[in-house]
Amino acid sequence: AEIRAACVEDLPGLDQCAAEFYASSRFLTAFNPEAFRAAWTALQDSGAGVIFLLGGAEIDGAIGGVAYPDINSGALVATTEFFWFVRPAMRGHGLALYKRFEDWARAKGCRKIQMVYLLDSMPERLDRIYQRLGFQAAEVHYVKEI
């Protein structure tokens, strides 16, 4: 399957993947395509953010992350907590998406990568995958709507 870096013109093509991703978890509640496009346009233009796409004209998956300096150490960190989604029919190609992101992070000079997963979206499977990729669990993230 083809993997390529997204350009700004590709962003509207992610709407359907975003809808499927948001429908997959009770923790994801309000996708705003205009806000998404504005944020990712700025992140891509600055060089801080990247989205890799799986598929050709029809997007079958995507991973999006940002490189930023750690507030405490200044070391460059990459995170994909923004999204990593692959349509069920294309599952198995998700690791190739991750590997492209890791290569990008390494090329940017990142010292570490931080990953997360939703507790209602294959948590045991993702935990095993992350451990197999060399990650260690470091913290638990809590959310409260106010």
Side-chain angles (χ1 to χ4, degrees), residues 3 17 21 24 28 40 51-52 54 60-65 79-87 91-101 113-118 121-122 125-127 129-130 132-133 135:
I3 296 176
C17 283
F21 182 51
S24 73
L28 303 173
W40 282 100
I51 297 173
F52 289 106
L54 175 65
D60 292 313
I63 190 168
T79 180
T80 62
E81 67 183 76
F82 297 104
F83 60 90
W84 181 18
F85 175 77
V86 177
R87 289 194 163 124
R91 300 253 160 97
H93 296 284
L95 283 179
L97 269 175
Y98 166 77
K99 292 286 189 185
R100 281 292 297 273
F101 178 77
I113 295 176
Q114 297 175 344
M115 299 288 286
V116 300
Y117 57 79
L118 296 164
S121 180
M122 303 180 295
R125 184 169 183 239
L126 286 169
D127 184 62
I129 289 169
Y130 289 158
R132 201 170 58 235
L133 290 170
F135 287 88

Side-chain angles (χ1 to χ4, degrees), residues 22-105:
Y22 270 69
S24 73
S25 172
R26 67 182 171 91
F27 297 110
L28 303 173
T29 57
F31 179 72
N32 178 325
E34 291 78 23
F36 175 86
R37 290 180 197 136
W40 282 100
T41 297
L43 288 166
Q44 288 178 312
D45 287 350
S46 73
V50 69
I51 297 173
F52 289 106
L53 303 174
L54 175 65
E58 174 89 15
I59 298 171
D60 292 313
I63 190 168
V66 174
Y68 62 93
D70 181 274
I71 290 172
N72 299 305
S73 71
L76 205 55
V77 175
T79 180
T80 62
E81 67 183 76
F82 297 104
F83 60 90
W84 181 18
F85 175 77
V86 177
R87 289 194 163 124
M90 295 300 289
R91 300 253 160 97
H93 296 284
L95 283 179
L97 269 175
Y98 166 77
K99 292 286 189 185
R100 281 292 297 273
F101 178 77
E102 183 177 303
D103 291 344
W104 173 84

